[in-house]
Amino acid sequence: MSCASCASSSQSILESQPGVVNAAVNYANATAQMEYIPTITNPQRLKEALQSVGYDLMIDESEEAKDTLEDLHRQKYEQLRRRTIGSIALSVPLVLIGMFFMNIPYANYIMWALATPVVLIFGQQFFIGAWKQLKHRSSNMDTLVALSTGVAYLFSVFNTLFPNYWHSKGLHAHVYFEASAVVIAFILLGKMLEEKAKGNTSSAIKKLMGLQPKTVTVVHAGGHQMEMPIASVKIGNTILVKPGEKIAVDGTVATGNSYVDESMISGEPIPVEKKEGDKVFAGTINQKGSFQFTADKVGGDTVLAQIIKMVQQAQGSKAPVQKLVDKIAGIFVPVVILIAIISLVAWIVLGGENGLTQGLLAMVTVLVIACPCALGLATPTAIMAGVGKGAENGILIKDAESLEGAKKVNAIVLDKTGTITEGKPAVVDIVWKPEAAQKELSHLLYTIESQSEHPLAEAIVKYLAPAALEKSKLDNFESITGEGVAVKYHGNSYFVGSPKMMRSHNIYIHDELKQKAAQWSKQAYTVIWFASLENALAAIAITDKIKDSSVQAIQQLQSSGIEVYMLTGDNERTAKAVAAKAGIQHYKAEVLPAHKADFVKDLQQHGKVVAMVGDGINDSNALAQADISIAMGKGSDIAMDVAKMTIISSDLTKILKAIQLSKYTVAAIRQNLFWAFIYNIIGIPIAAGILYPVNGFLLNPMIAGAAMALSSVSVVTNSLRLRTKKL
């Protein structure tokens, strides 16, 4: 693709194919994202449809194909560089002759000889592209360049061969060889700088891809070690990691221990201790120790591969504002050609004896100065730079829409467990009812909680495990959402759950247990009850430590004018105590998972732009309902799938950074669009000669070519400034 119009026309070709639901073509990173019905069409057919109109599509996802694509891009850039150097080398003497040595013998023929290779060899891509477009009744930037330089070149050839035609009319036969050559030289230079800059916008992807080593040391049965390419690693292989080496795939530490630098994935600078049973991730760097781990996820399933995929998809997605720009880019070239023709006709009619010459010059200048590239690059380059900057800071952004929309957030809903707190509940104490048969009941409680999947149940199992290794046999087990579990044991009913469960079954609680529970609630402990059908048998105090970063993050968000709400399934007293510790003004206790989405909807109905932050499966409904959904990276895969943003390190301070990044990116998009539009709005009328009746000013096509090249480069450079911003 040579410009934004190409992206627009190739997108419309893809959208018109049977079976394609929607398509989005991104000019900045030359990718297409498509949704299609596999029974009606396939990538090969879509490739053929694009090839029929002069484009091509690479659909091979293998590593070899990626390397081939890299080589193609490198070759394309080198070819562009050679053409640029060649065209500039020939254009410099052309300009010198045109400006200072027009009176030397055979000046026109020398200029013709110098301009021909520039226009017909170095600039042939524009003429080939324009011809392909013309065959399909379409137009793009190639059309503008080919028309403008072609007209200037042919007009100059005619004037060189037949000067007497003009002399007989009393006019001087001007040639514009230097204009046609310099325009191509400047546009090629602009394209080269643009390619270089576009490569820089995707540097985050290159950095991420560079994190994965090419080979690994696999330990076979019997301890035999062998170096293998990463593509050969299979799930279950044991891999040795030496000090300073990169971890190749995701896995679980089997033997040994060390500290691992996970900053490239989480953005956290402090190395994390890894011991037996701990998870390790591809792309992270082992520090001093050496250990062996078992491969759990390989290839495209690793966390790093998922991050790369997510960043690539986000960089290729379109922000809502881009849709308007695409429409403008789609009609831009035909409108410019129309303005150029009107300029020519106006000059012929109103321009007097030099009307035709001036008209041709004005037409060429209009065609040269109009730049759909700056328009097409304005949004995608800013999005690419913004998404890349986010990835470097441990903030994964799934699409351009959420990056653009995050700046509008004025209310944030936080799930308590795992979001505000560490998500690792631990039992503080268990108090039994006087005269309770503690040993037997401990075994029963251990058995019940072993079968429950709730994180609080896990904490109780861990606490009781040393004393209660025997499991009793249950007659019946039933999980009651939002309350707890009910079981039958030897024909008797038992319950483990929240105070709400005790109330709903009218269970009597001994005064001593009541007092203890009230005391724990004041300390922000969660109280879980173990009861028979009639009496509470034990009260269990569980705490989930508030993360150090949560208090700071909540304070930052509230001082930025964003309202923070906490939702929890805990009772009112515990919720109030946690909210006070975390510094949260608004909270809601005893919220069932199904009601979280209703709470978000309610805030939206009151005019709030809501961001929901969660980490569990039970948050997925609310995440889907929110305007901006943010998952904590150490939470469930479902939450991460639903959410539009993921904070890899689970650090809440990153939310404000994501909002800040959104503000910077949207500001860059607006600046880019302003300059792209203002450039064309001012440049095209001046090129047409609107200032000539006022002050006699006519824009030289060479200056127009330089301005056009500069407009694209300035837009990309402005986007690249995002990479230097401090979040």
Side-chain angles (χ1 to χ4, degrees):
M1 297 188 292
S2 62
C3 71
S5 301
C6 295
S8 186
S9 59
S10 52
Q11 182 171 311
S12 59
I13 285 152
L14 288 169
E15 284 174 336
S16 66
Q17 298 307 304
V20 173
V21 180
N22 59 53
V25 175
N26 187 315
Y27 170 54
N29 65 357
T31 59
Q33 285 190 22
M34 277 172 282
E35 198 179 329
Y36 62 90
I37 301 160
T39 51
I40 299 175
T41 190
N42 58 47
Q44 192 56 45
R45 281 189 200 161
L46 299 171
K47 182 183 173 117
E48 285 161 11
L50 281 173
Q51 284 174 329
S52 72
V53 290
Y55 301 110
D56 203 353
L57 182 67
M58 194 163 192
I59 50 179
D60 190 346
E61 283 293 303
S62 67
E63 282 303 315
E64 295 79 21
K66 283 173 190 163
D67 292 341
T68 308
L69 189 60
E70 280 290 308
D71 289 340
L72 282 172
H73 280 309
R74 215 175 1 260
Q75 285 167 20
K76 185 186 167 191
Y77 178 75
E78 278 306 313
Q79 194 182 33
L80 191 55
R81 193 168 154 270
R82 284 195 297 273
R83 285 181 171 183
T84 306
I85 293 166
S87 59
I88 290 170
L90 292 175
S91 297
V92 170
L94 249 174
V95 171
L96 292 173
I97 295 169
M99 289 175 77
F100 306 111
F101 305 107
M102 274 306 290
N103 297 324
I104 62 169
Y106 304 108
N108 284 6
Y109 287 95
I110 295 167
M111 289 171 79
W112 185 6
L114 288 167
T116 301
V118 178
V119 177
L120 301 182
I121 297 170
F122 300 133
Q124 65 174 304
Q125 66 188 70
F126 302 115
F127 294 93
I128 293 166
W131 174 245
K132 281 178 181 171
Q133 293 294 317
L134 183 65
K135 280 199 295 187
H136 296 94
R137 296 189 185 87
S138 183
S139 59
N140 65 3
M141 192 191 108
D142 291 341
T143 313
L144 296 181
V145 178
L147 266 175
S148 57
T149 55
V151 166
Y153 178 79
L154 291 172
F155 183 61
S156 303
V157 170
F158 179 84
N159 290 359
T160 302
L161 295 173
F162 307 108
N164 293 333
Y165 174 79
W166 298 107
H167 295 160
S168 65
K169 294 179 181 294
L171 299 170
H172 182 67
H174 284 288
V175 292
Y176 297 102
F177 285 121
E178 78 278 17
S180 60
V182 171
V183 162
I184 282 175
F186 272 132
I187 290 167
L188 285 172
L189 178 64
K191 280 248 158 257
M192 189 183 86
L193 294 172
E194 185 189 300
E195 284 294 322
K196 187 91 174 151
K198 281 198 309 195
N200 288 339
T201 56
S202 58
S203 63
I205 289 277
K206 287 178 187 143
K207 273 186 202 164
L208 287 168
M209 284 176 165
L211 293 175
Q212 200 167 36
K214 296 276 182 268
T215 59
V216 293
T217 306
V218 175
V219 182
H220 294 289
H224 171 62
Q225 295 178 10
M226 185 179 173
E227 197 159 291
M228 289 167 66
I230 192 166
S232 309
V233 177
K234 302 214 164 19
I235 292 169
N237 281 159
T238 301
I239 296 163
L240 172 68
V241 187
K242 293 169 191 162
E245 280 188 348
K246 285 177 183 167
I247 292 164
V249 295
D250 292 3
T252 308
V253 177
T255 58
N257 55 53
S258 180
Y259 281 85
V260 173
D261 177 2
E262 295 187 343
S263 59
M264 57 289 302
I265 285 181
S266 67
E268 297 301 308
I270 301 158
V272 182
E273 187 184 1
K274 298 289 176 184
K275 48 191 187 299
E276 211 171 304
D278 287 344
K279 297 281 180 195
V280 288
F281 304 101
T284 56
I285 300 168
N286 183 25
Q287 302 280 286
K288 291 177 181 151
S290 152
F291 62 88
Q292 293 182 13
F293 73 94
T294 309
D296 296 337
K297 289 179 180 176
V298 297
D301 295 329
T302 66
V303 168
L304 178 65
Q306 295 296 328
I307 289 172
I308 291 170
K309 192 177 175 187
M310 214 186 269
V311 173
Q312 280 175 325
Q313 284 179 343
Q315 288 190 335
S317 66
K318 292 195 176 187
V321 69
Q322 179 69 13
K323 286 163 190 154
L324 170 68
V325 176
D326 283 351
K327 280 181 187 164
I328 294 166
I331 58 163
F332 186 85
V333 176
V335 168
V336 169
I337 293 169
L338 186 65
I339 293 169
I341 293 165
I342 291 167
S343 305
L344 172 65
V345 173
W347 272 101
I348 292 170
V349 174
L350 307 169
E353 58 178 22
N354 277 329
L356 177 62
T357 310
Q358 302 283 38
L360 279 169
L361 207 58
M363 181 173 85
V364 167
T365 312
V366 167
L367 292 169
V368 167
I369 204 163
C371 183
C373 290
L375 278 177
L377 289 166
T379 307
T381 52
I383 293 293
M384 285 171 75
V387 168
K389 180 78 177 171
E392 283 170 19
N393 282 274
I395 304 161
L396 281 189
I397 297 156
K398 244 190 205 172
D399 60 18
E401 198 168 337
S402 50
L403 179 60
E404 193 185 330
K407 71 181 278 292
K408 299 174 189 161
V409 167
N410 53 20
I412 286 186
V413 178
L414 303 172
D415 174 51
K416 182 192 75 115
T417 308
T419 303
I420 295 171
T421 62
E422 286 179 349
K424 293 175 189 164
V427 172
V428 180
D429 196 7
I430 296 182
V431 175
W432 295 91
K433 177 188 167 220
E435 299 100 42
Q438 280 186 36
K439 193 171 181 191
E440 192 186 330
L441 290 171
S442 290
H443 285 296
L444 178 57
L445 178 60
Y446 177 75
T447 306
I448 295 167
E449 293 298 67
S450 299
Q451 291 191 27
S452 173
E453 289 175 356
H454 199 283
L456 298 183
E458 205 177 303
I460 295 168
V461 167
K462 209 177 270 185
Y463 184 80
L464 293 173
L469 292 172
E470 293 173 42
K471 285 190 187 176
S472 315
K473 178 123 177 53
L474 301 176
D475 303 331
N476 184 42
F477 181 96
E478 186 195 352
S479 181
I480 301 163
T481 307
E483 290 191 15
V485 294
V487 302
K488 281 260 178 20
Y489 174 64
H490 292 335
N492 297 317
S493 293
Y494 291 92
F495 304 96
V496 182
S498 64
K500 187 179 175 186
M501 192 178 214
M502 300 300 105
R503 289 195 297 272
S504 62
H505 289 86
N506 294 317
I507 290 165
Y508 171 74
I509 300 171
H510 195 278
D511 288 344
E512 196 177 310
L513 291 183
K514 255 189 200 163
Q515 283 166 8
K516 198 68 186 164
Q519 190 186 327
W520 283 340
S521 294
K522 278 181 189 165
Q523 292 172 272
Y525 295 159
T526 299
V527 180
I528 298 292
W529 294 94
F530 175 35
S532 63
L533 194 56
E534 298 88 17
N535 296 305
L537 302 170
I540 307 150
I542 298 177
T543 186
D544 187 3
K545 196 166 164 261
I546 293 172
K547 292 180 209 159
D548 296 336
S549 60
S550 296
V551 180
Q552 183 194 346
I554 288 157
Q555 195 179 347
Q556 286 174 351
L557 289 164
Q558 288 179 160
S559 56
S560 304
I562 297 168
E563 289 178 8
V564 179
Y565 297 83
M566 180 185 82
L567 298 185
T568 176
D570 287 341
N571 62 55
E572 174 68 27
R573 208 181 251 175
T574 307
K576 187 178 180 180
V578 171
K581 273 189 186 175
I584 295 172
Q585 290 154 15
H586 313 282
Y587 66 90
K588 196 167 184 197
E590 297 185 17
V591 180
L592 293 174
H595 297 156
K596 287 181 182 179
D598 296 336
F599 183 80
V600 171
K601 202 183 283 183
D602 188 50
L603 286 177
Q604 287 168 327
Q605 282 165 355
H606 285 86
K608 302 282 182 197
V609 178
V610 183
M612 171 71 197
V613 187
D615 74 325
I617 293 169
N618 60 3
D619 299 321
S620 48
N621 265 1
L623 286 167
Q625 175 64 42
D627 299 290
I628 303 292
S629 45
I630 303 169
M632 287 307 182
K634 290 182 179 159
S636 79
D637 288 348
I638 293 176
M640 285 169 72
D641 281 348
V642 172
K644 293 294 169 69
M645 285 190 189
T646 301
I647 308 292
I648 301 173
S649 65
S650 296
D651 179 353
L652 284 180
T653 55
K654 296 280 173 81
I655 294 170
L656 198 62
K657 287 186 177 181
I659 292 169
Q660 196 63 50
L661 181 64
S662 170
K663 286 177 182 171
Y664 287 149
T665 308
V666 171
I669 290 170
R670 284 181 179 159
Q671 289 156 7
N672 288 350
L673 288 174
F674 171 78
W675 288 115
F677 277 112
I678 208 83
Y679 162 83
N680 283 302
I681 288 164
I682 293 171
I684 292 172
I686 291 174
I690 201 163
L691 294 178
Y692 187 76
V694 181
N695 58 10
F697 178 78
L698 273 177
L699 189 65
N700 188 312
M702 292 188 288
I703 307 293
M708 185 268 205
L710 195 66
S711 68
S712 295
V713 177
S714 63
V715 159
V716 180
T717 310
N718 188 46
S719 295
L720 285 175
R721 286 192 316 120
L722 279 172
R723 290 169 58 202
T724 61
K725 293 276 189 190
K726 192 159 171 46
L727 292 181

